[in-house]
Amino acid sequence: MRVAEVVGRVLYGHGARHVFGVVGSGNFHVTNALVAAGARFVAAAHEGGAASMADGYARTAGTVGLLSVHQGPGVTNALTGLTEAAKSRTPMVVLAPEATAPRSNFFIDLPALAAAVGADFHRVRATHAAEDTGAAYRAAARGATVVLGLPLEVQQAVTEAWSGPVPAVAPTPVTAPQVEPLLAALQAARRPVFIAGRGARSAREPLTRLADACGALLAVSAAAKGLFAGNPWNLDVAGGFATPLTAELIGAADLVVAWGSTLNMWTTRHGELIPPSAVVVQVDHDPAAFGLNRPVDLTVAGEVTAVAEAVLARLGVGSTGPVGAGTGGWRTPELAQRIRDHGRWRSVPYQDEGGGASATIDPRTLSTALDDLLPADRTVVVDSGNFMGYSSMWLDVPDVAGFCFTQAFQSVGLGLASALGTAVARPDRLTVAAVGDGGFVMSATELVTAVRLALPLLVVIYDDAAYGAEVHHFGPDGYPLETVTFPETDLAAIARGYGCDGLTVRTVDDLEPVRGWLAGPRTRPLVIDAKVSAARGSWWLEEAFRGH
């Protein structure tokens, strides 16, 4: 059996069922080996799109994503999406063929490239092909983005036939978490707040029970939006996206526990959200994360679920037993009513800035109308840009798997392709890709892939005919903006040219055709070119630029 076939069989044996990519000579055989084993290959238009698809798929499916690219330029074309995945700690394996001769046109230093973007690097050897491939997959399953080097000459080498068995992914050894200081802090607090981050995405149940037991309010970083959806004490996203009520309540906390969150500048509004008098506790499986972005008073090393369960056990709250009413001082009926009335951005009054001579729609009005119109069972994928606060905070999601936030690298143009990966992972849900016009134009080629897949996909373009973030960053200081503003473009017509349905929206009434599309088979993507008002930047933008 040739090594390329062994690699494909091992990956399938470990559970790889979808592989995204663009096929060239260097990855032709290994990709076909995966397909022959039973995996589905999703052909992207560009390797950059394929990388984002694999990333979005892995985040939504909760499993390892697989990316297959050509050697040399295939790898470099995928680099931005690969960097986003690595910075997000997305479990992903990149099948990266290697031209090892330094004089080859295709030669690049793959180990150095992987290290530069924060990815792990493994290489397949002819005599250890199954072992090396399995090790790469297991490293990804434990939370790494792994570049798997496949030297061209090694792929063609004949090696011992392989048919299994597949070693299990061994759990990371853990020791019993030391929770006594955290327990004491929780028992002493009158106004505790939990902020759950990316590392707590699978811990809703124990964190909710613990919050009930100690009277804590619940908040999340943007990467974990949806984790506490439906909970009456859910304050939603902390930081720059926080509602005025959320900012007020976190600002009044006497204890803040960060669960799988490093409390970066976005989550804490550059440290201003959390009051100086509050005790701050950080819970993380990686001690290197402690105090990474701000000083903390207490640290607890351990997986979030294990730590929460250990505290519950010490409190005498069983894993299936009744939960106490809580000892905190602010879970009152009055506060519950305030959260119901003012806990969402759509309930915060604003002056509509649409209409008039500009014939545009206010992005808040657009987002509210879409939230009412679209089914609740949805996956919302957000690209980067001035617009992103509106789609992130006005479009509700049913759970943490219903939100894909591609912001670890802050790259414009990843949202559309990421949405295709999430749609493959959850074809039972409507996938909503929220993008700006700049990001859409960068990635529009993947509309070809969207049409081929025939998945339920709605693309909403917040079209301000500009790179809006730069306009609102530099415009107030009087800088010329000709380099970041553009003539109005019929993006709906471009979408129709790719085979999608296209709709231009300037008023809420213009959204009426969406009802018919929703009622239909939804096998043809719908692209909404919403001409949004651009009189001012998003509310979070001024704060965001403080980090630049």
Coordinates of all heavy atoms in Angstrom, one line a residue, residues 393-475:
M393 N -24.9 40.9 17.8 CA -25.8 41.2 19.0 C -27.2 41.3 18.7 O -28.1 41.2 19.6 CB -25.2 42.5 19.7 CG -23.8 42.3 20.2 SD -23.5 40.8 21.2 CE -24.7 41.1 22.5
W394 N -27.6 41.6 17.5 CA -29.1 41.7 17.2 C -29.6 40.3 16.7 O -30.8 40.1 16.8 CB -29.3 42.7 16.1 CG -29.7 44.1 16.7 CD1 -30.9 44.6 16.8 CD2 -28.8 45.1 17.2 NE1 -30.8 45.9 17.4 CE2 -29.5 46.2 17.7 CE3 -27.4 45.1 17.4 CZ2 -29.0 47.3 18.2 CZ3 -26.8 46.3 18.0 CH2 -27.6 47.3 18.4
L395 N -28.8 39.5 16.1 CA -29.3 38.2 15.7 C -29.1 37.1 16.8 O -27.9 36.8 17.1 CB -28.5 37.7 14.4 CG -28.7 38.7 13.2 CD1 -27.9 38.1 12.0 CD2 -30.1 38.9 12.8
D396 N -30.1 36.7 17.3 CA -30.0 35.7 18.4 C -29.6 34.3 17.9 O -29.8 34.0 16.7 CB -31.4 35.5 19.1 CG -31.8 36.7 20.0 OD1 -30.8 37.5 20.4 OD2 -33.0 36.9 20.2
V397 N -29.0 33.5 18.7 CA -28.6 32.1 18.3 C -29.2 31.2 19.4 O -29.4 31.5 20.6 CB -27.1 32.0 18.2 CG1 -26.6 32.8 17.1 CG2 -26.4 32.4 19.5
P398 N -29.5 29.9 19.0 CA -30.1 29.0 19.9 C -29.2 28.4 21.0 O -29.6 28.0 22.0 CB -30.7 27.9 19.0 CG -29.8 27.9 17.8 CD -29.4 29.4 17.6
D399 N -27.9 28.3 20.6 CA -26.9 27.7 21.5 C -25.5 28.1 21.1 O -25.4 28.8 20.1 CB -27.1 26.2 21.5 CG -27.1 25.6 20.1 OD1 -26.4 26.1 19.3 OD2 -27.9 24.6 19.9
V400 N -24.5 27.6 21.8 CA -23.2 28.0 21.5 C -22.7 27.5 20.2 O -21.8 28.1 19.5 CB -22.2 27.6 22.7 CG1 -22.0 26.1 22.6 CG2 -20.9 28.3 22.6
A401 N -23.2 26.4 19.7 CA -22.9 25.9 18.4 C -23.5 26.7 17.3 O -23.1 26.6 16.1 CB -23.3 24.4 18.2
G402 N -24.4 27.6 17.6 CA -25.1 28.4 16.6 C -24.4 29.7 16.3 O -25.0 30.6 15.6
F403 N -23.2 29.9 16.8 CA -22.5 31.2 16.6 C -21.0 30.9 16.3 O -20.3 30.2 17.0 CB -22.5 32.1 17.8 CG -22.1 33.5 17.6 CD1 -22.8 34.3 16.8 CD2 -20.9 33.9 18.3 CE1 -22.3 35.6 16.6 CE2 -20.5 35.2 18.1 CZ -21.2 36.1 17.3
C404 N -20.6 31.4 15.1 CA -19.2 31.2 14.7 C -18.6 32.5 14.5 O -19.0 33.3 13.6 CB -19.2 30.3 13.4 SG -17.5 30.0 12.8
F405 N -17.6 32.8 15.3 CA -17.0 34.2 15.3 C -15.6 34.1 14.9 O -14.7 33.7 15.7 CB -17.1 34.7 16.8 CG -16.9 36.1 17.0 CD1 -17.8 37.1 16.4 CD2 -15.9 36.6 17.8 CE1 -17.6 38.4 16.6 CE2 -15.8 38.0 18.1 CZ -16.6 38.9 17.4
T406 N -15.3 34.5 13.7 CA -13.9 34.4 13.1 C -13.1 35.6 13.3 O -12.8 36.3 12.4 CB -14.1 34.1 11.6 OG1 -14.7 35.2 10.9 CG2 -14.9 32.8 11.3
Q407 N -12.7 35.9 14.6 CA -12.1 37.1 14.9 C -10.7 37.0 15.6 O -10.1 38.0 16.0 CB -13.0 38.0 15.8 CG -14.3 38.3 15.2 CD -14.3 39.0 13.9 OE1 -13.4 39.9 13.7 NE2 -15.2 38.8 13.0
A408 N -10.2 35.8 15.7 CA -8.9 35.6 16.4 C -7.8 36.3 15.7 O -6.8 36.7 16.3 CB -8.6 34.1 16.6
F409 N -7.8 36.4 14.4 CA -6.8 37.0 13.6 C -7.3 38.4 13.1 O -6.5 39.1 12.4 CB -6.4 36.1 12.4 CG -5.1 36.4 11.7 CD1 -4.0 37.0 12.4 CD2 -4.9 36.2 10.4 CE1 -2.9 37.3 11.8 CE2 -3.8 36.5 9.7 CZ -2.7 37.0 10.5
Q410 N -8.6 38.7 13.3 CA -9.2 39.9 12.9 C -9.0 40.2 11.4 O -8.7 41.3 10.9 CB -8.6 41.1 13.7 CG -9.1 41.1 15.1 CD -8.6 42.4 15.8 OE1 -7.7 42.3 16.6 NE2 -9.3 43.5 15.6
S411 N -9.2 39.1 10.6 CA -9.1 39.3 9.1 C -10.5 39.4 8.5 O -11.4 38.7 8.8 CB -8.4 38.0 8.6 OG -8.5 38.0 7.2
V412 N -10.6 40.4 7.6 CA -11.8 40.6 6.8 C -11.7 39.5 5.7 O -10.7 39.1 5.2 CB -11.8 42.0 6.2 CG1 -12.9 42.1 5.2 CG2 -11.9 43.0 7.2
G413 N -12.9 38.9 5.4 CA -13.0 38.1 4.3 C -13.1 36.6 4.6 O -13.2 35.8 3.6
L414 N -13.2 36.2 5.8 CA -13.3 34.8 6.2 C -14.7 34.3 6.4 O -14.9 33.0 6.5 CB -12.4 34.5 7.4 CG -10.9 34.9 7.4 CD1 -10.2 34.4 8.6 CD2 -10.2 34.4 6.1
G415 N -15.6 35.2 6.6 CA -16.9 34.8 7.1 C -17.7 33.9 6.1 O -18.4 32.9 6.5
L416 N -17.7 34.3 4.8 CA -18.5 33.5 3.9 C -18.1 32.1 3.8 O -18.9 31.2 3.9 CB -18.5 34.2 2.5 CG -19.2 33.5 1.3 CD1 -20.7 33.3 1.7 CD2 -19.0 34.2 0.0
A417 N -16.8 31.8 3.6 CA -16.3 30.5 3.5 C -16.5 29.7 4.8 O -16.9 28.5 4.8 CB -14.9 30.4 3.1
S418 N -16.3 30.4 6.0 CA -16.6 29.7 7.3 C -18.0 29.3 7.3 O -18.3 28.2 7.9 CB -16.2 30.7 8.4 OG -14.9 31.0 8.4
A419 N -18.9 30.1 6.8 CA -20.3 29.7 6.9 C -20.6 28.5 6.0 O -21.5 27.7 6.4 CB -21.2 30.9 6.3
L420 N -19.9 28.3 4.9 CA -20.1 27.1 4.2 C -19.7 25.8 5.0 O -20.4 24.8 4.9 CB -19.3 27.1 2.9 CG -19.7 28.2 1.9 CD1 -18.9 28.1 0.6 CD2 -21.2 28.1 1.6
G421 N -18.6 26.0 5.7 CA -18.2 24.9 6.6 C -19.2 24.6 7.7 O -19.5 23.4 8.0
T422 N -19.8 25.6 8.3 CA -20.8 25.4 9.3 C -22.1 24.8 8.7 O -22.7 24.0 9.3 CB -21.2 26.7 10.1 OG1 -21.8 27.6 9.2 CG2 -19.9 27.4 10.6
A423 N -22.4 25.2 7.5 CA -23.6 24.6 6.8 C -23.4 23.1 6.5 O -24.4 22.4 6.6 CB -23.9 25.4 5.5
V424 N -22.2 22.7 6.2 CA -21.9 21.3 6.0 C -22.1 20.6 7.3 O -22.6 19.4 7.4 CB -20.5 21.1 5.4 CG1 -20.1 19.6 5.4 CG2 -20.5 21.6 4.0
A425 N -21.6 21.2 8.4 CA -21.7 20.5 9.7 C -23.1 20.4 10.2 O -23.5 19.5 10.8 CB -20.8 21.3 10.7
R426 N -23.9 21.5 9.9 CA -25.3 21.5 10.4 C -26.3 21.8 9.3 O -26.9 22.9 9.3 CB -25.5 22.5 11.6 CG -24.8 22.1 12.8 CD -25.3 20.9 13.5 NE -26.7 20.9 13.7 CZ -27.2 21.3 14.9 NH1 -26.4 21.6 15.9 NH2 -28.5 21.2 15.1
P427 N -26.5 20.9 8.4 CA -27.4 21.2 7.2 C -28.9 21.3 7.7 O -29.7 21.7 6.9 CB -27.2 20.0 6.3 CG -26.7 18.9 7.2 CD -25.9 19.6 8.2
D428 N -29.1 20.9 8.9 CA -30.5 20.9 9.5 C -30.9 22.4 9.9 O -32.0 22.6 10.2 CB -30.6 20.0 10.7 CG -29.6 20.3 11.8 OD1 -28.4 20.5 11.4 OD2 -30.0 20.4 12.9
R429 N -29.9 23.3 10.0 CA -30.1 24.6 10.4 C -29.9 25.6 9.2 O -29.1 25.3 8.3 CB -29.2 25.0 11.5 CG -29.5 24.4 12.8 CD -28.5 24.9 13.9 NE -29.0 24.5 15.2 CZ -28.4 24.8 16.4 NH1 -27.3 25.5 16.3 NH2 -28.9 24.4 17.5
L430 N -30.6 26.7 9.3 CA -30.3 27.8 8.3 C -29.0 28.5 8.8 O -28.9 28.9 9.9 CB -31.5 28.8 8.4 CG -31.2 30.1 7.5 CD1 -31.1 29.8 6.1 CD2 -32.2 31.2 7.8
T431 N -28.1 28.5 7.8 CA -26.8 29.2 8.1 C -26.9 30.7 7.6 O -27.3 30.9 6.4 CB -25.6 28.5 7.4 OG1 -25.5 27.2 8.0 CG2 -24.3 29.3 7.6
V432 N -26.6 31.6 8.4 CA -26.6 33.0 8.1 C -25.2 33.6 8.1 O -24.6 33.6 9.2 CB -27.5 33.8 9.1 CG1 -27.6 35.3 8.7 CG2 -28.9 33.2 9.2
A433 N -24.7 34.0 7.0 CA -23.4 34.6 6.9 C -23.5 36.1 6.9 O -24.2 36.6 6.0 CB -22.6 34.1 5.7
A434 N -23.0 36.8 7.9 CA -23.1 38.2 8.0 C -21.7 38.8 7.6 O -20.7 38.5 8.2 CB -23.5 38.7 9.4
V435 N -21.7 39.6 6.5 CA -20.4 40.1 6.0 C -20.6 41.5 5.6 O -21.7 42.0 5.4 CB -20.0 39.3 4.8 CG1 -19.8 37.8 5.1 CG2 -21.0 39.4 3.6
G436 N -19.5 42.2 5.6 CA -19.5 43.6 5.0 C -19.2 43.5 3.5 O -18.9 42.4 2.9
D437 N -19.4 44.6 2.8 CA -19.2 44.6 1.4 C -17.8 44.3 1.0 O -17.5 43.6 0.0 CB -19.7 45.9 0.7 CG -19.2 47.1 1.4 OD1 -19.3 47.3 2.6 OD2 -18.6 48.0 0.7
G438 N -16.8 44.8 1.8 CA -15.4 44.5 1.5 C -15.1 43.0 1.7 O -14.5 42.4 0.8
G439 N -15.5 42.4 2.8 CA -15.3 41.0 3.0 C -16.0 40.1 1.9 O -15.5 39.1 1.5
F440 N -17.2 40.6 1.5 CA -17.9 39.8 0.5 C -17.2 39.8 -0.8 O -17.0 38.7 -1.4 CB -19.3 40.4 0.3 CG -20.1 39.8 -0.9 CD1 -20.7 38.6 -0.7 CD2 -20.2 40.5 -2.1 CE1 -21.4 38.0 -1.8 CE2 -20.8 39.9 -3.2 CZ -21.4 38.7 -3.0
V441 N -16.7 41.0 -1.3 CA -16.0 41.0 -2.5 C -14.7 40.2 -2.5 O -14.4 39.5 -3.4 CB -15.7 42.5 -2.9 CG1 -14.8 42.6 -4.1 CG2 -17.0 43.2 -3.2
M442 N -14.1 40.2 -1.3 CA -12.9 39.4 -1.2 C -13.1 37.9 -1.4 O -12.3 37.1 -1.9 CB -12.3 39.5 0.2 CG -11.5 40.8 0.4 SD -10.8 40.8 2.1 CE -10.1 42.5 2.1
S443 N -14.3 37.4 -0.9 CA -14.6 36.0 -0.9 C -15.7 35.5 -1.8 O -16.1 34.4 -1.7 CB -15.0 35.6 0.6 OG -16.1 36.4 1.0
A444 N -16.2 36.4 -2.7 CA -17.4 36.1 -3.5 C -17.2 34.8 -4.3 O -18.1 34.2 -4.7 CB -17.8 37.3 -4.3
T445 N -15.9 34.5 -4.7 CA -15.7 33.3 -5.5 C -16.2 32.1 -4.9 O -16.6 31.1 -5.6 CB -14.2 33.2 -5.8 OG1 -13.9 32.1 -6.7 CG2 -13.4 32.9 -4.5
E446 N -16.3 32.0 -3.6 CA -16.9 30.8 -2.9 C -18.4 30.7 -3.1 O -19.0 29.7 -2.6 CB -16.5 30.7 -1.5 CG -15.0 30.6 -1.2 CD -14.4 29.3 -1.9 OE1 -15.1 28.4 -2.3 OE2 -13.1 29.3 -2.1
L447 N -19.0 31.7 -3.7 CA -20.5 31.5 -4.0 C -20.6 30.3 -5.0 O -21.7 29.7 -5.0 CB -21.0 32.8 -4.6 CG -21.2 33.9 -3.6 CD1 -21.8 35.1 -4.4 CD2 -22.1 33.6 -2.5
V448 N -19.6 30.1 -5.8 CA -19.6 28.9 -6.7 C -19.8 27.7 -5.9 O -20.6 26.8 -6.2 CB -18.3 28.9 -7.5 CG1 -18.2 27.5 -8.2 CG2 -18.3 30.0 -8.6
T449 N -19.0 27.6 -4.8 CA -19.1 26.4 -3.9 C -20.4 26.3 -3.2 O -21.0 25.3 -3.1 CB -18.0 26.5 -2.8 OG1 -16.7 26.7 -3.5 CG2 -17.9 25.2 -2.0
A450 N -21.0 27.5 -2.8 CA -22.3 27.5 -2.1 C -23.3 27.0 -3.0 O -24.2 26.2 -2.6 CB -22.6 28.9 -1.7
V451 N -23.3 27.3 -4.3 CA -24.3 26.9 -5.2 C -24.2 25.3 -5.5 O -25.1 24.6 -5.5 CB -24.2 27.6 -6.6 CG1 -25.1 27.0 -7.7 CG2 -24.6 29.1 -6.4
R452 N -22.9 24.9 -5.6 CA -22.7 23.4 -5.7 C -23.2 22.6 -4.6 O -23.8 21.6 -4.7 CB -21.2 23.2 -5.9 CG -20.6 23.6 -7.2 CD -19.1 23.5 -7.1 NE -18.4 23.9 -8.3 CZ -17.1 24.1 -8.4 NH1 -16.3 24.0 -7.3 NH2 -16.5 24.5 -9.5
L453 N -23.0 23.2 -3.3 CA -23.4 22.4 -2.1 C -24.9 22.4 -2.0 O -25.5 21.5 -1.3 CB -22.8 23.0 -0.9 CG -21.3 22.9 -0.8 CD1 -20.7 23.7 0.4 CD2 -20.9 21.4 -0.7
A454 N -25.7 23.4 -2.5 CA -27.1 23.5 -2.4 C -27.6 23.4 -0.9 O -28.6 22.7 -0.6 CB -27.8 22.4 -3.2
L455 N -26.9 24.0 0.0 CA -27.2 24.0 1.4 C -28.0 25.3 1.7 O -28.0 26.3 1.1 CB -25.9 24.0 2.2 CG -25.1 22.7 2.1 CD1 -23.8 22.9 2.7 CD2 -25.9 21.6 2.9
P456 N -28.8 25.2 2.8 CA -29.6 26.4 3.2 C -28.6 27.5 3.7 O -28.1 27.4 4.9 CB -30.5 25.8 4.4 CG -29.8 24.6 4.9 CD -29.0 24.0 3.7
L457 N -28.4 28.5 2.9 CA -27.5 29.6 3.2 C -28.1 30.9 2.9 O -28.5 31.1 1.7 CB -26.2 29.3 2.4 CG -25.1 30.5 2.6 CD1 -24.5 30.5 4.0 CD2 -24.0 30.3 1.5
L458 N -28.0 31.8 3.8 CA -28.4 33.2 3.6 C -27.2 34.1 3.9 O -26.6 34.0 5.0 CB -29.6 33.6 4.6 CG -30.0 35.1 4.5 CD1 -30.7 35.4 3.2 CD2 -30.9 35.4 5.7
V459 N -26.8 34.9 2.9 CA -25.7 35.8 3.0 C -26.3 37.2 3.2 O -27.0 37.7 2.3 CB -24.8 35.7 1.8 CG1 -23.6 36.7 2.0 CG2 -24.3 34.3 1.6
V460 N -26.0 37.9 4.2 CA -26.4 39.2 4.5 C -25.2 40.2 4.4 O -24.3 40.1 5.2 CB -27.1 39.4 5.8 CG1 -27.6 40.8 6.0 CG2 -28.2 38.4 6.0
I461 N -25.2 41.0 3.4 CA -24.1 42.0 3.2 C -24.5 43.3 3.8 O -25.5 44.0 3.4 CB -23.8 42.2 1.7 CG1 -23.6 40.8 1.0 CG2 -22.5 43.1 1.6 CD1 -23.5 40.9 -0.5
Y462 N -23.8 43.8 4.8 CA -24.0 45.1 5.4 C -23.1 46.1 4.5 O -21.9 46.3 4.7 CB -23.5 45.1 6.8 CG -24.5 44.4 7.8 CD1 -24.5 43.0 7.8 CD2 -25.3 45.1 8.6 CE1 -25.3 42.3 8.7 CE2 -26.2 44.4 9.5 CZ -26.2 43.0 9.5 OH -27.0 42.3 10.4
D463 N -23.7 46.6 3.5 CA -23.0 47.3 2.4 C -23.0 48.8 2.6 O -24.0 49.5 2.4 CB -23.7 46.9 1.1 CG -23.0 47.5 -0.1 OD1 -22.0 48.2 0.0 OD2 -23.5 47.3 -1.3
D464 N -21.9 49.3 3.1 CA -21.8 50.8 3.2 C -20.8 51.4 2.2 O -20.4 52.5 2.3 CB -21.3 51.1 4.6 CG -19.9 50.5 4.9 OD1 -19.3 49.8 4.1 OD2 -19.4 50.8 6.0
A465 N -20.5 50.6 1.1 CA -19.7 51.1 0.0 C -18.3 51.6 0.5 O -17.8 52.6 0.0 CB -20.4 52.1 -0.8
A466 N -17.8 50.9 1.5 CA -16.5 51.3 2.0 C -15.9 50.3 2.9 O -16.6 49.3 3.3 CB -16.7 52.6 2.9
Y467 N -14.6 50.4 3.2 CA -14.1 49.7 4.4 C -14.5 50.6 5.6 O -13.7 51.5 6.0 CB -12.6 49.5 4.3 CG -12.2 48.5 3.2 CD1 -11.4 48.8 2.2 CD2 -12.8 47.2 3.3 CE1 -11.0 47.9 1.2 CE2 -12.4 46.3 2.3 CZ -11.6 46.6 1.3 OH -11.3 45.7 0.3
G468 N -15.6 50.3 6.2 CA -16.2 51.2 7.1 C -15.4 51.5 8.4 O -15.4 52.6 8.9
A469 N -14.6 50.4 8.8 CA -13.8 50.6 10.0 C -12.8 51.7 9.8 O -12.5 52.6 10.7 CB -13.2 49.3 10.4
E470 N -12.2 51.7 8.6 CA -11.2 52.7 8.3 C -11.8 54.1 8.1 O -11.2 55.1 8.6 CB -10.4 52.3 7.1 CG -9.3 51.2 7.3 CD -9.9 49.9 7.7 OE1 -11.0 49.5 7.2 OE2 -9.3 49.2 8.6
V471 N -13.0 54.1 7.5 CA -13.7 55.4 7.4 C -13.9 56.1 8.7 O -13.6 57.3 8.9 CB -15.0 55.2 6.6 CG1 -15.9 56.4 6.7 CG2 -14.7 54.9 5.2
H472 N -14.4 55.3 9.7 CA -14.7 55.8 11.0 C -13.5 56.0 11.9 O -13.6 56.7 12.9 CB -15.8 55.0 11.6 CG -17.1 55.0 10.8 ND1 -17.8 56.2 10.6 CD2 -17.7 54.0 10.1 CE1 -18.9 55.9 9.8 NE2 -18.8 54.6 9.5
H473 N -12.5 55.3 11.6 CA -11.2 55.5 12.3 C -10.5 56.8 12.0 O -10.1 57.5 12.8 CB -10.3 54.3 12.1 CG -9.1 54.2 13.0 ND1 -8.0 53.5 12.7 CD2 -8.7 54.9 14.1 CE1 -7.0 53.6 13.6 NE2 -7.5 54.5 14.4
F474 N -10.3 57.0 10.7 CA -9.5 58.1 10.2 C -10.3 59.3 9.8 O -9.8 60.4 9.8 CB -8.7 57.6 9.0 CG -7.7 56.6 9.3 CD1 -7.9 55.2 8.9 CD2 -6.6 56.8 10.1 CE1 -7.0 54.2 9.2 CE2 -5.6 55.8 10.4 CZ -5.8 54.5 10.0
G475 N -11.6 59.1 9.4 CA -12.4 60.2 8.9 C -12.5 61.4 9.9 O -12.4 62.5 9.5

